[in-house]
């Protein structure tokens, strides 16, 4: 089964003799570098390019083309080399595109010698970059894996090779450009394009062009294609669509060999044409006449089922926002119209006498009721369709997207790859409660900001006891941490805890018993200071290495896994230095893999005044009980957030943590 990778994901390789196929919509240069375990290229003899296409265990094409095949024999790679990076760059000749944003998204497939596809990756979101590290094959604990990288460089090959530690990167980049130019000079130009066809041929070409122009590629973002087949309809103006996921594949060009009108003829050999696009997502089955389509799971664009489900959940969120906005707009219109009609009827003194005024008021109210009833009928129809879709989608969600009550957790096994997103809870609107419709709240991984679980009354029912809120908040933090540990591969996520007074011992018991914490919960002022100093130093070291291009200078014992710091009962036990370090981790940590999970009541830290305002703003605020504090900027709805609680009496959390611990032991962690 092919692994359809997204940026940052990896996949194990069971074969050592491989072929890497590259397809793009324009001629590009393909190359590769060998590097050590720190990612440093030792010299020119570790770079394979059109001017020097062969290295031990590696061979690349000799010229620029729209399609490439690279041969790799991992058993023949030198022992000192731990990574094989596949590089793509645009030619620098006049008239060539100067940025990847102007060409189709490059597609790469790693295959065995028999042609069976092991993994594939489409590089999206490129813009001004003219060179990119597409994939890397890397050795870890004696086994090889492939990782989707997609790191682009606006400075071209020179900047890319410099970042990999090559001393004379600029000179080598120039030589590669000269080699590509010489290769082009040796090629034979294709015949000139044919003139416009006439007669029956022209009719056939015109028909083909029309059919192609209305087709939507499987890689087209949902916002660019036609509406979802079961998207709620409303007569009121629709609000602007929500943000599309940043990983949506770019629209693909017309497949090779399909021409329309007077378009150019494709001279590429059929055996070297671009691979076929991925299998289209399943589409909703047509319902009975007059009935909506039957929804199916995965009815969205995407290169994998997980990506299609992610996009489908986003589509459900947008559909619910739109249909509720349309309903509220219709009710506002009905209210405004009734007020205008009443004002008009009462503005005439003659209508105030006798039954004429009463009749006008009754007519205005009746018309208002009709408009509201009609809008409610449309809303109920749309909500019913979305509820039916949710009933199909929820059971199909993978563990990272699923609630704790989903049966998928009972078959949980530690994953090999980082998922695309993580579920933090559910979202709901007042109008959707009548049908019990909840939309999963998914956030992309790796996390782009920390989280703050508000244990104060400002985020909960005022009747709930303060101590109970704190217990729920800490229990929610433990469940979020357990989910993060579960969805990351073993050894690629670590959790630290600061509990100055030891008040969270009961809530932390599942993590402690399973042995999945990076160390015992830190208590007292000394423990707080030690953990914060260690993580702050890690952020400093990684930042300096990244900015200076000296990844090889990092200490060998530095843990490269993502780090999560759970902070309980803030600000108790924190001095001014610790508060400053915490603010620093909130601001700078996510970019280098250090994340905060705060459990705190903002009122407890009121003595700091506005000093802590940047800290609270930097964190995503969640609540341990349902609260309507989340708002979207597109239509202005206040969404009710519901935390992802473990069902009462369930041991699923302990079972998942036991599996995480088992996988960590197998990795020697």
């Amino acid at each position: 089964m092919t692994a359809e990778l997204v940026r940052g994901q990896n996949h194990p390789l069971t074969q050592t003799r491989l072929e890497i196929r590259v397809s793009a919509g324009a001629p590009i240069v393909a190359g590769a570098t060998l590097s050590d375990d720190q990612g440093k290229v030792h010299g020119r003899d570790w770079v394979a390019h059109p001017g020097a296409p062969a290295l031990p265990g590696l061979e690349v094409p000799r010229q620029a083309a729209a399609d490439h095949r690279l041969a790799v024999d991992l058993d023949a790679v030198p022992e000192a080399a731990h990574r094989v990076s596949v590089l793509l760059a645009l030619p620098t000749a006049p008239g060539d595109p100067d940025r990847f944003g102007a060409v189709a998204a490059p597609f790469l497939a790693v295959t065995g010698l028999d042609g069976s596809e092991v993994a594939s990756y489409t590089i999206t979101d490129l813009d001004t970059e003219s060179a990119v590290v597409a994939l890397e094959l890397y050795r870890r604990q004696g086994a090889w894996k492939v990782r989707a990288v997609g790191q682009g460089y606006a400075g071209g090959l020179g900047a890319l090779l410099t970042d990999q530690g090559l001393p004379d990167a600029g000179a080598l980049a120039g030589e590669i450009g000269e080699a590509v130019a010489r290769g082009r000079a040796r090629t034979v130009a294709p015949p000139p394009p044919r003139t416009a066809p006439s007669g029956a041929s022209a009719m056939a070409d015109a028909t083909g062009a029309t059919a192609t122009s209305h087709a939507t590629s499987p890689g087209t973002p949902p916002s660019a294609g036609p509406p979802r087949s079961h998207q709620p309809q409303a007569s009121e103006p629709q609000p602007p669509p929500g943000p599309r996921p940043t990983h949506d594949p770019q629209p693909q060009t017309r497949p090779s060999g399909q021409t329309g009108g007077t378009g150019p003829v494709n001279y590429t050999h059929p055996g070297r044409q671009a691979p076929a696009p991925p299998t289209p997502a399943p589409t909703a089955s047509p319902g009975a006449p007059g009935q909506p389509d039957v929804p199916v799971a995965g009815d969205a664009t995407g290169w994998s089922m997980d990506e299609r489900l992610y996009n489908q959940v986003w589509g459900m969120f947008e559909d619910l926002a739109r249909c509720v906005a349309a309903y509220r707009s219709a009710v506002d219109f009905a209210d405004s119209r009734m007020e205008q009609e009443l004002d008009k009827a009462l503005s005439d003194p003659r209508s105030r006498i006798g039954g004429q005024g009463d009749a006008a008021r009754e007519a205005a109210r009746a018309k208002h009721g009709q408009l509201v009833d009609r809008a409610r009928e449309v809303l109920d129809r749309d909500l019913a369709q979305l509820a039916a879709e949710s009933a199909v989608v929820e059971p199909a969600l993978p563990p990272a997207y699923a609630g704790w009550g989903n049966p998928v957790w009972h078959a949980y096994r530690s994953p090999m790859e980082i998922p695309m997103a993580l579920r933090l809870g559910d979202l709901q609107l007042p109008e959707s409660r009548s049908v019990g419709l909840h939309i999963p709240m998914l956030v992309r991984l790796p996390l782009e900001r920390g989280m703050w679980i508000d244990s104060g009354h400002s985020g909960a029912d005022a009747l709930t006891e303060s101590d109970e809120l704190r217990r729920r908040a800490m229990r929610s933090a433990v469940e979020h941490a357990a989910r993060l540990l579960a969805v990351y591969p073993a050894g690629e996520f670590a959790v630290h805890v600061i509990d100055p007074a030891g008040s969270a011992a009961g809530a932390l018991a599942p993590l402690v018993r399973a042995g999945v914490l990076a160390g015992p919960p830190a208590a007292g002022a000394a423990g707080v200071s030690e953990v914060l100093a260690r993580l702050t130093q890690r952020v400093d070291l990684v930042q300096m290495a990244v900015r200076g291009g000296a990844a090889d200078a990092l200490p060998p014992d530095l843990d490269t896994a993502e780090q999560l710091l759970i902070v309980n009962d803030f600000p108790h036990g924190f001095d001014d230095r610790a508060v400053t370090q915490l603010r620093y981790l909130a601001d700078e940590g996510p970019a280098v893999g250090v994340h905060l999970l705060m459990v705190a009541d903002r009122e407890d830290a009121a003595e700091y005044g506005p000093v802590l305002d940047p800290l609270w703003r930097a964190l995503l605020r969640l609540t341990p009980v349902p609260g309507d504090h989340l708002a979207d900027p597109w239509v202005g709805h206040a969404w009710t957030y519901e935390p992802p609680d473990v069902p009462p009496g369930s041991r699923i959390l302990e079972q998942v943590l036991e599996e995480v611990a088992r996988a960590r032991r197998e990795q020697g962690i």
Side-chain angles (χ1 to χ4, degrees), residues 316-658:
M316 292 165 59
F317 172 83
E318 293 178 350
D319 287 349
L320 179 57
R322 289 189 183 105
C323 69
V324 170
Y327 169 72
R328 293 179 181 178
S329 177
V331 172
D332 289 343
F333 171 76
D335 292 342
S336 175
R337 180 170 178 173
M338 183 179 67
E339 291 178 2
Q340 292 176 3
E341 291 179 350
L342 289 176
D343 290 343
K344 182 179 179 180
L346 297 177
S347 63
D348 187 355
R350 293 172 297 178
S351 63
R352 301 175 193 168
I353 304 173
Q356 188 176 357
D358 294 337
R361 282 191 288 270
E362 289 299 324
R365 293 191 183 102
K367 193 174 298 182
H368 173 271
Q370 292 174 359
L371 291 174
V372 172
D373 290 344
R374 193 182 312 162
R376 186 71 208 192
E377 181 182 352
V378 173
L379 175 66
D380 290 342
R381 181 197 66 201
D382 295 341
L383 290 178
Q385 181 64 17
L386 281 171
E389 183 177 10
S390 177
V392 172
V393 170
E394 279 284 355
L397 295 177
Y401 304 172
W404 286 114
N406 194 311
V408 71
W409 284 109
H410 293 280
Y412 165 77
R413 290 295 180 269
S414 182
M416 298 293 293
E417 302 169 358
I418 300 173
M420 180 181 300
L422 179 80
R423 186 171 186 160
L424 293 183
D426 293 333
L427 297 173
Q428 193 180 57
L429 289 173
E431 289 83 354
S432 65
R433 290 179 186 145
S434 60
V435 294
L437 177 60
H438 305 259
I439 305 297
M441 179 181 173
L442 303 181
V443 296
R444 291 294 302 269
L445 289 179
L447 297 172
E448 297 180 356
R449 60 192 297 200
M451 293 176 284
W452 161 36
I453 301 180
D454 190 353
S455 59
H457 281 292
S458 60
D461 183 358
L463 299 178
T464 307
E465 293 291 336
S466 177
D467 290 343
E468 176 62 19
L469 278 177
R470 294 178 188 274
R471 284 193 293 270
R472 290 189 186 183
M474 195 60 206
R475 187 165 62 242
S476 181
V478 169
E479 292 170 0
H480 285 303
R483 182 181 289 264
L484 282 163
L485 283 167
V487 303
Y488 270 80
E492 296 193 18
F493 199 87
V495 177
H496 310 262
V497 177
I498 288 179
D499 186 20
S503 59
L508 292 170
L511 297 175
V512 175
R513 282 198 300 264
V516 294
L517 293 177
V528 171
S529 176
E530 190 273 331
V531 172
L532 290 176
R534 186 170 68 249
L535 291 178
T536 301
Q537 183 185 40
R538 183 189 186 279
V539 172
D540 289 338
L541 289 173
V542 177
Q543 277 189 340
M544 288 188 292
V546 171
R547 292 170 181 171
D552 56 334
L554 287 171
D557 59 344
L558 182 76
D559 186 4
T560 58
E562 297 275 315
Q563 311 286 316
L564 177 71
L565 174 60
I566 302 177
V567 178
N568 180 47
D569 216 13
F570 176 82
H572 302 298
F574 284 75
D575 55 21
D576 290 345
R577 177 179 174 82
V579 170
T580 301
Q581 290 175 321
L582 202 64
R583 286 184 53 188
Y584 178 72
L585 291 178
D587 292 336
E588 305 294 336
V592 292
V594 178
H595 313 282
L596 282 183
L597 178 51
M598 299 270 294
V599 179
D601 180 357
R602 188 169 183 174
E603 292 300 320
D604 292 343
E607 63 184 33
Y608 287 94
V611 173
L612 288 183
D613 287 350
L615 173 64
W616 306 120
R617 287 196 297 266
L619 304 175
L620 173 63
R621 179 175 172 239
L622 304 175
T623 53
V625 293
D628 56 357
H629 61 284
L630 295 177
D632 65 69
W634 312 286
V635 292
H637 294 327
W639 293 80
T640 298
Y641 167 78
E642 297 180 351
D645 295 331
V646 174
S650 173
R651 291 197 68 256
I652 193 63
L653 185 69
E654 289 78 6
Q655 294 172 9
V656 168
L657 289 175
E658 289 170 4

Side-chain angles (χ1 to χ4, degrees), residues 240-290:
R244 301 312 307 165
T246 56
H247 62 280
D248 283 349
Q250 297 178 1
Q252 304 297 308
T253 57
R254 184 180 299 162
S256 302
Q258 295 184 14
T259 61
T262 59
V265 178
N266 191 328
Y267 291 94
T268 308
H269 187 279
R272 294 181 179 271
Q273 289 179 0
T279 305
T283 56
S285 304

